[in-house]
Amino acid sequence: MLTPHRVFKLKGISKMMKPVRKAILPVGGLGTRFLPATKAMPKEMLTVVDKPLIQYAVEEAIAAGVEQVILVSSRGKSSMSDHFDHSYELEQVLLERGKTEAYKSITEWLPEPGQVTVLRQQEPMGLGHAVWCARNLIGDEPFAVLLADDMILAEPGCLAQMIEAFQEYGGNLVAVEEVPRQNVDRYGILDVVEDDGKIARANGLVEKPNPDAAPSNLAIIGRYILQPDVMAELSNVRKGAGGEIQLTDAMARTLNRIFFRGIRFEGRRYDCGSKEGFVQANVAFAIAREDLREGVTDALREFCNG
Ligand code: UTP
């Protein structure tokens, strides 16, 4: 059933605000930093402990109340669609062999029929282009964007925290964190005008600035809640940093009319697009699990003591 539009309190004024019902997960990138692993396998199918990155992201979106997940994929990545479908032969064999836990591990989290839509980005023209490919499915509603390779260990999940803040503030809202100044050239960076320590409002955005010229070290990480106006701007932006269509450039074009805020979420982010971040995520997620904590901690201690 569709969520009815709710009346939210916005800066003291009651205003009809549409809820966030849809999430775009762009998964069409080449994953060059993870070659050779990503030669024949999508980066988003890399596993952290025992689940692929894409499953964590879809689960985070659904737990936050998202009704429709849109995977913007590309050629050669059909394993992702298969992952969100039944695997009848395997299910049958597991049931016959009495492997109930294994059976549950492949069925319990399956999305509702029709809840995951897959479309293709025909060329890897950047994150902004991937988001724009979903414009006809988004229509005129605010929507979330989750980058599956940014994994966030948090309870409640990062998107759920953002939706709570969005209900208060509206506008465009992104997840942010402070990064070392020498790394700002890897991120979209906020030019901050107001900051209460949790929510920072920006009047400027720069994609991958030079560390000397960066307006702050507050970086956008892979979670966004955006107004549909961004789609119209994406139709007009030209290729930016790295020869790609940048989402940051389109968001920057709405700053004159839509409030832009960053939220410092509670939780820890792991950049699973990098090898170091991916290994860290595996350790952190393993240690967060009761069944693995002791064995992994002991092994780490042994490695470290050499
Ligand atoms: P990245 O910047 O990590 O690019 O994209 P990438 O191609 O995945 O990886 P590298 O840098 O070559 O190693 C961030 C997110 O945007 C998606 C990616 O799949 C990833 O989830 N993306 C990027 C697209 O969907 N399409 C693109 O054209 C580019």
Side-chain angles (χ1 to χ4, degrees):
M1 198 177 75
L2 296 184
T3 311
H5 293 173
R6 281 187 278 170
V7 180
F8 296 118
K9 284 282 256 190
L10 183 72
K11 291 204 135 207
I13 308 162
S14 288
K15 185 175 168 183
M16 279 294 277
M17 199 198 298
K18 292 179 180 173
V20 181
R21 298 189 311 118
K22 299 176 184 175
I24 301 174
L25 276 63
V27 290
L30 295 175
T32 54
R33 285 171 294 159
F34 240 109
L35 287 168
T38 47
K39 183 181 172 204
M41 181 177 89
K43 174 170 74 174
E44 294 78 10
M45 285 300 284
L46 291 170
T47 51
V48 166
V49 185
D50 55 6
K51 282 200 279 191
L53 297 176
I54 189 70
Q55 187 181 338
Y56 286 99
V58 169
E59 286 178 343
E60 182 182 328
I62 291 175
V66 164
E67 296 168 13
Q68 181 81 52
V69 176
I70 303 161
L71 304 185
V72 182
S73 187
S74 59
R75 283 181 297 285
K77 295 195 170 190
S78 49
S79 56
M80 267 184 287
S81 315
D82 292 340
H83 191 71
F84 292 102
D85 198 353
H86 280 283
S87 173
Y88 282 114
E89 276 183 8
L90 180 58
E91 288 172 18
Q92 194 56 38
V93 172
L94 294 175
L95 283 178
E96 279 166 15
R97 296 188 182 171
K99 294 187 180 288
T100 320
E101 285 311 308
Y103 173 79
K104 283 189 195 163
S105 78
I106 61 166
T107 51
E108 275 191 342
W109 49 268
L110 279 179
E112 300 285 318
Q115 198 172 19
V116 174
T117 305
V118 184
L119 59 90
R120 282 190 181 189
Q121 181 188 24
Q122 288 146 316
E123 285 175 79
M125 287 171 64
L127 174 60
H129 181 257
V131 169
W132 178 78
C133 287
R135 65 199 178 285
N136 293 333
L137 297 177
I138 294 298
D140 66 351
E141 299 179 20
F143 59 97
V145 178
L146 292 91
L147 306 189
D149 55 0
D150 256 341
M151 283 197 72
I152 298 168
L153 188 52
E155 189 53 50
C158 181
L159 187 65
Q161 295 177 40
M162 291 176 72
I163 287 180
E164 197 186 334
F166 178 77
Q167 289 171 350
E168 187 175 341
Y169 292 99
N172 286 328
L173 181 70
V174 296
V176 290
E177 69 179 22
E178 262 130 42
V179 297
R181 198 153 262 272
Q182 70 270 21
N183 295 344
V184 291
D185 57 0
R186 301 180 195 165
Y187 298 91
I189 298 291
L190 269 60
D191 191 350
V192 177
V193 280
E194 247 177 66
D195 193 347
D196 69 5
K198 180 173 180 189
I199 303 284
R201 187 165 72 77
N203 67 354
L205 292 175
V206 202
E207 182 63 24
K208 301 187 171 67
N210 192 305
D212 303 327
S216 76
N217 66 338
L218 205 54
I220 302 175
I221 57 106
R223 302 287 182 278
Y224 311 71
I225 297 177
L226 300 173
Q227 298 296 331
D229 311 55
V230 170
M231 289 294 189
E233 295 299 344
L234 280 168
S235 306
N236 300 325
V237 292
R238 292 172 190 281
K239 290 181 184 177
E244 298 190 329
I245 294 182
Q246 299 291 347
L247 184 56
T248 310
D249 294 344
M251 294 186 305
R253 284 164 170 252
T254 66
L255 284 165
N256 58 356
R257 57 186 193 281
I258 299 174
F259 278 117
F260 190 95
R261 296 183 179 87
I263 173 172
R264 292 183 181 83
F265 54 93
E266 280 173 34
R268 172 101 195 247
R269 174 185 76 104
Y270 298 91
D271 174 9
C272 291
S274 78
K275 290 170 195 171
E276 201 182 302
F278 178 72
V279 173
Q280 285 175 11
N282 267 286
V283 173
F285 277 72
I287 289 178
R289 271 174 53 160
E290 242 170 65
D291 57 331
L292 299 174
R293 184 175 306 132
E294 201 181 319
V296 174
T297 314
D298 287 352
L300 281 173
R301 225 175 264 128
E302 216 176 290
F303 290 145
C304 295
N305 295 335

